[in-house]
Amino acid sequence: MTVVEELIRKENDGTISFGNYALDQKSKVSDFEHNGDLYKVKTFKEITKLEKNGLFVYESVPGTSVFSFMATDKDIHFTVEGPNDVQITLELEPEKEYKVFVDDTNVGKMKTNLGGKLVVSVDLSNGKQSNVKVVKL
């Protein structure tokens, strides 16, 4: 079981890692600067949420730890870990189609709603990690 003890951190490869699903009480870090952007993370066992410059980016129910998170105009990729199966909501472009991969398996094409939300379920158990990649078509 690996968690991000400091709640959010910069990685050497330019990505960020965040979230601690082992916490019993809500914890947060605000105004975390990375590449000119300000991030805010709220996390504990029930939910993990990431905002960038005040805008929604990532949410998981229940809480997770996310490693090597990188979002570009073309894709988002990260490794997620949690104690149970998880539902992840990502903020992307509204009404666009994306191809979703979990552990290098194509789980299909998905279209975001009017608000740009995309929901992905990931099978996690006992601290298992899964790689998630969402590619804009």
Side-chain angles (χ1 to χ4, degrees):
M1 178 160 74
T2 310
V3 296
V4 182
E5 293 291 340
E6 57 272 68
L7 305 187
I8 186 168
R9 69 176 178 236
K10 298 176 187 180
E11 301 295 351
N12 292 334
D13 62 1
T15 63
I16 59 171
S17 295
F18 60 92
N20 185 337
Y21 62 87
L23 296 173
D24 288 326
Q25 294 185 353
K26 293 179 187 177
S27 295
K28 71 177 181 177
V29 172
S30 298
D31 299 327
F32 181 86
E33 192 277 328
H34 180 63
N35 291 337
D37 296 306
L38 291 178
Y39 289 87
K40 177 179 181 180
V41 64
K42 298 179 194 175
T43 186
F44 77 123
K45 66 182 177 182
E46 293 180 19
I47 191 169
T48 295
K49 187 172 184 177
L50 180 71
E51 296 177 2
K52 176 180 168 183
N53 299 326
L55 300 174
F56 176 85
V57 174
Y58 171 100
E59 180 180 275
S60 69
V61 177
T64 54
S65 291
V66 178
F67 304 96
S68 301
F69 182 91
M70 174 66 81
T72 69
D73 292 341
K74 298 182 187 225
D75 72 352
I76 291 178
H77 55 87
F78 55 91
T79 300
V80 63
E81 178 182 304
N84 301 306
D85 295 346
V86 65
Q87 182 175 315
I88 297 169
T89 305
L90 299 169
E91 178 79 30
L92 302 167
E93 288 186 49
E95 298 188 304
K96 297 287 183 188
E97 197 167 46
Y98 293 84
K99 191 179 285 189
V100 179
F101 299 86
V102 176
D103 291 327
D104 297 322
T105 300
N106 182 350
V107 296
K109 294 179 185 176
M110 301 174 124
K111 188 173 183 179
T112 55
N113 63 17
L114 286 170
K117 301 276 191 292
L118 183 87
V119 179
V120 178
S121 294
V122 180
D123 180 18
L124 300 176
S125 59
N126 299 322
K128 177 186 171 205
Q129 291 187 343
S130 285
N131 296 313
V132 177
K133 186 172 183 178
V134 178
V135 180
K136 183 178 171 184
L137 297 178

